[in-house]
Amino acid sequence: MSIIAEKTTQVVSEINQACLATGRHPSEVALLAVSKTRSANEVREAYQQGLTRFGENYLQEALDKIQELDDLPLEWHFIGPVQSNKTRQIAEAFDWVHSVDRLKIARRLSEQRPTDLPDLNVCLQVNIDDESSKSGCSPDEALELARAIAALPHICLRGLMAIPAASDDETVQRLAFAKVRELAERIRANGLAMDTLSMGMSGDLAAAIAEGSTLVRIGTALFGPRAAKG
Ligand SMILES: *Cc1c(COP(=O)(O)O)cnc(C)c1O
């Protein structure tokens, strides 16, 4: 059995266990394979293990892979910081963008989404720990931003995305994810339909699932450690 096959089995079983532990059904949690820095062949191997959703951070690398793999029925998610001069290529090539954190970016994606494609799925990225160095809107602006994004044509606001500060302590992890869940509940209570909580990575997926994640973004646990990117 290949390494990716083994690791995929492990991650799927970790997700299933986390669901079982909190009374959720595994079908409620999608697995996004984060394939940044991985070759097209590694993605192909992961696809052979049943994975169909792939997440990328670096646009040019992603576009090359998407082209090389266009014989496969894959769903591509952009999860890295979005520069405004890159929105057209993102709107043309991706199915989802998880990292929208300002209205200007959402407007450009909306205007530039080709009308012959389905609406682009977007998540609003929230800086839940208020670390000034990270991307994401502040929790205080999330409701107004979500309202404005939901009103735009050609894109569909699906939910919130967050990357909390790394911690080995599951209690700390859960507190941060609970804040994201509560924020999403507040936004929904204001009449906005959202079905996605994009949260949880290799080191904190169980905590994220316990707090309602509907999509975990997993790189290292599927593909092994990444080489440092300069
Ligand atoms: C790299 C990355 C991941 C995957 O992280 P791992 O710890 O390797 O699972 C998830 N989300 C985002 C936004 C990333 O940039």
Side-chain angles (χ1 to χ4, degrees), residues 32 34 36 38 56-58 79-81 98-99 125 161-163 198 200-203 216-222 224 226:
L32 177 67
V34 175
K36 63 183 176 204
R38 312 298 173 172
E56 292 282 339
N57 294 52
Y58 312 109
I79 61 175
H98 291 235
S99 38
Q125 183 175 353
M161 185 275 244
I163 313 172
S198 167
M201 318 202 308
S202 296
V216 289
R217 307 177 311 269
I218 308 297
T220 314
L222 285 173
R226 279 181 295 277

Side-chain angles (χ1 to χ4, degrees), residues 24-130:
R24 302 187 61 200
H25 195 275
S27 65
E28 295 170 31
V29 182
L31 170 53
L32 177 67
V34 175
S35 47
K36 63 183 176 204
T37 78
R38 312 298 173 172
S39 68
N41 277 340
E42 287 174 284
V43 172
R44 209 172 271 284
E45 215 184 303
Y47 169 74
Q48 282 155 6
Q49 301 311 314
L51 304 184
T52 55
R53 301 177 183 92
F54 291 88
E56 292 282 339
N57 294 52
Y58 312 109
L59 182 60
Q60 193 51 54
E61 178 197 328
L63 294 176
D64 293 344
K65 248 178 264 179
I66 291 172
Q67 195 177 15
E68 189 166 343
L69 295 165
D70 72 353
D71 57 313
L72 302 182
L74 306 181
E75 193 177 272
W76 291 99
H77 295 234
F78 194 80
I79 61 175
V82 183
Q83 295 167 272
S84 57
N85 63 344
K86 302 285 172 64
T87 50
R88 182 176 301 279
Q89 285 166 297
I90 292 173
E92 287 172 357
F94 284 83
D95 304 293
W96 283 70
V97 182
H98 291 235
S99 38
V100 173
D101 62 1
R102 51 200 200 278
L103 191 54
K104 179 187 175 190
I105 295 294
R107 282 207 183 104
R108 291 176 67 92
L109 292 170
S110 166
E111 282 160 14
Q112 295 168 343
R113 179 66 168 176
T115 50
D116 59 328
L117 293 180
D119 287 356
L120 181 65
N121 299 293
V122 307
C123 292
L124 177 59
Q125 183 175 353
V126 181
N127 187 351
I128 206 67
D129 292 319
D130 244 336

